[in-house]
Amino acid sequence: MLIIFLSRQALYTTITMIRLFKVKEKQKEEAKNATGNGPFKKQSAGELRLHKDITELNLPKSCTISFPSGKDNLMTFEITIKPDEGYYMGGKFLFTFNVCGIYPHEAPKVKCKTKVYHPNIDLEGNVCLNILREDWKPVLNINTIVYGLYHLFTEPNHEDPLNHEAADVLRDNPKVFASKVRTAMAGGRVGDTFFTKCI
Amino acid sequence: MVLSNSPITFWAGYAKFKSNIRPSSRVSPPPSGPLPSVPIAVGCRSLVFELQHTVQLRSSVPPMADASAQQSSRSRDLDKLLLRPGHLVGPAFEPGTELRDDLQEYARILVVGAGGLGCELLKDLALSGFRNLEVIDMDRIEVSNLNRQFLFRLEDVGKPKAEVAAKRVMERVSGVNIVPHFCRIEEKELEFYSEFSIIVLGLDSIEARSYINAVACGFLEYDNNDNPREETMKPMVDGGTEGFKGHARVILPGTTPCFECTIWLFPPQVKFPLCTLAETPRTAAHCIEYAHLIKWDEAHIGKTFDPDNPEHMQWVYSEAAKRAELFGIPGVTYTLTQGVVKNIIPAIASTNAIISAACALETLKIASGCSKTLSNYLTYNGVEGLHTKVTEFVRDKDCLVCGPGIFIELDTSVTLKMFIDQLEDHPKLLMSGASVSYRGKNLYLKAPPVLEEMTRSNLSIPLLNLMDKSPNGIVHVTGTAGKGDKRQSCSRKLRVSFKGVGGITDTDMAGGA
Ligand SMILES: [Zn+2]
């Protein structure tokens, strides 16, 4: 652990806490709570940081964002990516983002909701992208992730396979891979798997 | 102290500590050097020295007048700290029987978590003379808890931890009242947390700590000179253990760093690449994470994995075991599965006892002023031999959770648009293109366009109305701030107050929305 020595600061209160507790308890007995503020949602530090990320988004033209839970809940949102080049050109892929209260200490949870034939995305929508897991750092942001996802479509990578079969085909025969991707995006069958149309 | 007459020997931590600081010639500590037989002293080196000196100084104090009353008192040992003056006590310490009685009557302590640390904390706090305790925990007792969560028995398996823990401590320590709450911490209203004098945390999750921290810091108010108002401060004492290591810290919001000020102290969780899990598992943890992250979704479409559901955990365990067998990897057990999935490092009872003792003592010190408090972060490491030290971290003065924020006074007629424009000229901000939120409501979002459209109509509304007519409150703004080359995007907390609107001060001056 990193240990830092720092100068002393004023730490000690001028009256003992117990005096305060006593005063407070007595006040409570006298006037049964006069606070007019009703309950409200507690904003987490993660939410405040996410605000900053969201208002600073600079998305590629091919990506759009939407907030199905409305303007006051930004912790879950959706990103739609329409690649304008590469194997997946013309397709439309939906990703859900779930951000937790200790963001950016922890990366958002990202899933691909569109079934896709892709070496780095499995049929359940799990995504193998380093910055979502092992390489996540608090200095990264939502924008970085969206660019990372976009990159997966322009440059699928057979070396980090989540869909083993797709990765093998991409490595051994890119032309066959391209045609399988087109079939899947058109709502056809690849191997035993049926895909839904996303083009 | 109860312990002197009690047959319960396993509650030794605190009692032993106390007995070693008793100023009798028989056990008086050596004038310098370490205390030889004080196992608990390891948790709090600076404190040991303090107390050691206190003992010497206090030995010269004449005997108490009401010695007989003291003798018969159950809190005899505690009285030595609370009834007599000393040179190393906290400022404004007022020793006497009133202090002791007030602690019993008026101090209300909440213990968050009734697990390994929570069990220890409840026991330690009860034995430290606190009478009004409450405990909150959402978990039920599992067989694997029984080795260290010593308040639980085999027949308790399946029952709520908070309820059993409260009952067991009340059975053993007469006079203490412990109210259990079997629920999630988020289920309680803020009002619930505001009732307590001190909140003591025995948690194993960063997220839960962060939540309680935000709640407690939320009660803090600052005066117009950016000084915290003492009467609004909700002290926290946070304990944590991981195997042979642990920490204890004192959080006095507005004075010492809050959890968010130093969140970087917690190393991010190690995460394996998904493709490694799917393709080239090499360790038992890889097999478990595969079952947890990939296999679960394949087998349970639309059903979210719940780490607190034992059936779900059992399923992940058996899938992980199958995978481990397939790849010839040893070491997958149910306990390891729980550990990996919930990111828990096996707990060690003695570490819990040490950390809890330090936390209970700090709680007593904060409440009574009988000694200066830990300043402010104690680490304990028992991996190789023993190492412990206290580090004094400093607050992040711009912390969005515990910081004072920037004070702004406004006319009641100011609209949201005018407010945003004013931020550009404010000397401490110089913020342009601000987005604004209040208590979790987004009043205006500059971008992306979809959100800008949803919030644009607020621009012409007076801010006072958007803030529910509250005469003052915390507003968060995000935008580009600073001058020239130093312009950069940032988030700031603002303490907004409206001119000429009197009334009760906002209860949420610091925590923000
Ligand atoms: Zn802070």
Side-chain angles (χ1 to χ4, degrees):
Chain A
M1 179 172 295
L2 191 61
I3 305 288
I4 300 172
F5 284 97
L6 298 156
S7 64
R8 279 198 90 73
Q9 59 187 119
L11 285 182
Y12 308 116
T13 53
T14 49
I15 55 170
T16 18
M17 294 308 284
I18 191 64
R19 297 275 168 267
L20 288 176
F21 306 156
K22 191 175 177 180
V23 170
K24 277 196 231 173
E25 288 290 320
K26 292 219 159 136
Q27 280 172 346
K28 230 178 347 192
E29 286 156 26
E30 285 160 18
K32 276 281 175 197
N33 256 323
T35 46
N37 295 310
F40 57 90
K41 205 180 80 183
K42 195 84 216 158
Q43 228 172 357
S44 61
E47 210 168 339
L48 295 171
R49 156 67 196 259
L50 180 70
H51 267 204
K52 186 162 169 292
D53 279 22
I54 293 289
T55 52
E56 286 170 11
L57 276 178
N58 186 7
L59 298 176
K61 278 199 299 292
S62 43
C63 301
T64 53
I65 189 167
S66 65
F67 299 88
S69 325
K71 70 172 180 67
D72 291 332
N73 182 2
L74 307 185
M75 302 296 265
T76 56
F77 58 89
E78 295 176 350
I79 293 276
T80 306
I81 298 180
K82 288 184 199 168
D84 45 18
E85 57 177 303
Y87 296 109
Y88 297 90
M89 193 167 76
K92 187 175 157 188
F93 304 95
L94 180 73
F95 290 84
T96 54
F97 281 60
N98 273 294
V99 183
C100 70
I102 51 166
Y103 177 78
H105 194 74
E106 219 167 80
K109 290 190 171 56
V110 177
K111 285 256 180 181
C112 182
K113 288 292 164 185
T114 310
K115 207 173 196 180
V116 57
Y117 181 77
H118 193 293
N120 314 113
I121 302 175
D122 71 16
L123 299 172
E124 272 62 53
N126 294 304
V127 183
C128 190
L129 180 65
N130 63 335
I131 54 168
L132 285 176
R133 292 188 59 80
E134 71 275 20
D135 290 332
W136 171 256
K137 301 204 171 36
V139 293
L140 302 178
N141 57 33
I142 302 295
N143 225 46
T144 337
I145 297 174
V146 177
Y147 272 87
L149 294 174
Y150 182 74
H151 189 75
L152 279 184
F153 288 102
T154 53
E155 308 207 11
N157 168 10
H158 67 77
E159 282 169 5
D160 299 324
L162 266 188
N163 180 335
H164 205 109
E165 194 268 341
D168 288 350
V169 177
L170 173 64
R171 183 192 58 213
D172 299 335
N173 199 334
K175 277 194 178 155
V176 173
F177 178 76
S179 93
K180 287 190 169 189
V181 168
R182 301 316 290 179
T183 308
M185 292 200 303
R189 195 181 83 170
V190 178
D192 295 333
T193 312
F194 289 92
F195 290 83
T196 36
K197 192 169 185 292
C198 69
I199 202 158
Chain B
M1 207 64 197
V2 159
L3 259 283
S4 348
N5 311 320
S6 161
I8 311 158
T9 49
F10 62 85
W11 289 4
Y14 192 71
K16 209 156 199 174
F17 192 18
K18 310 290 304 186
S19 71
N20 273 288
I21 58 169
R22 197 175 299 162
S24 85
S25 57
R26 195 162 40 89
V27 286
S28 78
S32 63
L35 295 174
S37 59
V38 191
I40 206 64
V42 296
C44 195
R45 192 177 52 181
S46 65
L47 176 70
V48 169
F49 286 121
E50 246 169 50
L51 287 175
Q52 210 174 316
H53 293 299
T54 314
V55 165
Q56 285 159 6
L57 293 165
R58 286 181 185 183
S59 321
S60 58
V61 174
M64 299 289 302
D66 55 346
S68 61
Q70 192 194 336
Q71 281 293 320
S72 61
S73 166
R74 222 192 57 182
S75 61
R76 192 185 61 211
D77 290 352
L78 200 55
D79 286 351
K80 299 213 160 69
L81 287 174
L82 300 181
L83 304 193
R84 304 186 302 183
H87 294 253
L88 294 167
V89 298
F93 175 61
E94 292 173 40
T97 48
E98 194 191 350
L99 172 62
R100 181 190 62 203
D101 299 344
D102 285 351
L103 276 177
Q104 294 180 350
E105 190 171 351
Y106 297 111
R108 302 189 58 202
I109 314 291
L110 174 67
V111 174
V112 186
L117 257 182
C119 282
E120 290 279 353
L121 285 168
L122 283 173
K123 171 263 288 177
D124 286 350
L125 291 166
L127 291 178
S128 305
F130 292 104
R131 294 277 179 94
N132 305 305
L133 301 173
E134 303 200 12
V135 57
I136 181 167
D137 194 303
M138 57 168 285
D139 283 340
R140 291 176 184 274
I141 298 161
E142 291 180 36
V143 175
S144 63
N145 302 147
L146 300 179
N147 67 337
R148 63 191 183 284
Q149 299 178 18
F150 60 92
L151 296 173
F152 309 142
R153 300 286 171 270
L154 197 55
E155 66 265 24
D156 300 325
V157 169
K159 294 180 194 161
K161 288 184 178 179
E163 289 171 13
V164 177
K167 181 168 151 264
R168 289 283 144 75
V169 175
M170 283 196 287
E171 282 166 4
R172 297 285 186 95
V173 186
S174 63
V176 68
N177 183 40
I178 307 180
V179 183
H181 301 273
F182 171 50
C183 63
R184 307 183 77 93
I185 51 175
E186 300 88 351
E187 280 171 37
K188 292 285 182 190
E189 301 285 344
L190 297 180
E191 196 92 289
F192 169 78
Y193 293 101
S194 77
E195 301 281 295
F196 296 98
S197 328
I198 300 174
I199 301 177
V200 186
L201 289 77
L203 291 162
D204 58 11
S205 110
I206 296 181
E207 192 136 21
R209 277 196 184 89
S210 174
Y211 181 82
I212 297 287
N213 180 72
V215 170
C217 291
F219 298 122
L220 183 67
E221 293 175 18
Y222 283 88
D223 65 19
N224 289 352
N225 299 317
D226 289 358
N227 295 316
R229 287 185 208 274
E230 230 157 47
E231 67 275 18
T232 63
M233 185 205 285
K234 183 80 61 195
M236 281 174 282
V237 179
D238 175 43
T241 71
E242 278 192 348
F244 287 102
K245 300 179 187 173
H247 79 258
R249 71 190 293 186
V250 169
I251 300 179
L252 306 174
T255 304
T256 69
C258 84
F259 181 74
E260 226 59 58
C261 290
T262 55
I263 192 161
W264 47 269
L265 279 169
F266 290 82
Q269 193 188 341
V270 177
K271 301 234 166 149
F272 312 112
L274 283 183
C275 36
T276 301
L277 304 181
E279 290 295 314
T280 51
R282 294 182 304 276
T283 67
H286 288 164
C287 298
I288 293 164
E289 281 290 72
Y290 175 79
H292 166 218
L293 294 170
I294 296 174
K295 198 75 188 172
W296 175 271
D297 281 349
E298 265 176 47
H300 306 84
I301 309 282
K303 186 162 145 196
T304 347
F305 174 78
D306 175 8
D308 297 315
N309 182 329
E311 279 172 35
H312 290 194
M313 196 61 81
Q314 187 62 41
W315 188 91
V316 167
Y317 162 62
S318 62
E319 285 300 316
K322 279 185 219 160
R323 188 160 174 87
E325 202 184 327
L326 186 69
F327 284 87
I329 297 169
V332 173
T333 62
Y334 184 76
T335 312
L336 183 69
T337 306
Q338 280 184 308
V340 169
V341 169
K342 292 180 159 186
N343 191 30
I344 300 170
I345 290 170
I348 292 174
S350 304
T351 312
N352 284 340
I354 289 165
I355 293 302
S356 166
C359 290
L361 212 42
E362 290 310 316
T363 309
L364 178 66
K365 283 157 60 181
I366 293 171
S368 68
C370 72
S371 173
K372 287 168 186 166
T373 53
L374 172 74
S375 175
N376 45 43
Y377 197 109
L378 174 140
T379 49
Y380 162 80
N381 186 338
V383 177
E384 282 178 35
L386 192 149
H387 181 256
T388 181
K389 74 180 301 173
V390 175
T391 310
E392 191 170 325
F393 289 108
V394 287
R395 287 168 59 211
D396 169 3
K397 61 180 182 1
D398 293 329
C399 178
L400 294 178
V401 177
C402 74
I406 294 165
F407 181 72
I408 291 191
E409 204 175 26
L410 297 172
D411 286 318
T412 53
S413 60
V414 166
T415 63
L416 181 57
K417 172 80 169 68
M418 288 155 73
F419 172 67
I420 289 170
D421 292 344
Q422 278 190 24
L423 300 180
E424 292 200 35
D425 302 324
H426 192 286
K428 285 189 185 162
L429 278 164
L430 303 171
M431 180 181 281
S432 58
S435 297
V436 184
S437 70
Y438 170 70
R439 287 190 165 182
K441 282 188 301 182
N442 289 312
L443 303 184
Y444 181 69
L445 290 159
K446 173 93 178 151
V450 54
L451 291 176
E452 199 277 337
E453 264 169 50
M454 283 191 231
T455 52
R456 195 184 300 155
S457 60
N458 281 341
L459 286 174
S460 57
I461 300 175
L463 185 60
L464 182 62
N465 293 18
L466 293 169
M467 289 172 62
D468 311 317
K469 301 268 183 187
S470 211
N472 44 39
I474 294 293
V475 164
H476 284 98
V477 294
T478 296
T480 319
K483 274 185 200 163
D485 295 345
K486 290 189 180 154
R487 285 188 75 75
Q488 55 176 12
S489 73
C490 65
S491 294
R492 286 284 176 263
K493 180 160 122 182
L494 306 181
R495 255 153 60 220
V496 170
S497 176
F498 291 98
K499 288 179 204 161
V501 188
I504 319 142
T505 47
D506 197 298
T507 51
D508 188 55
M509 287 303 282

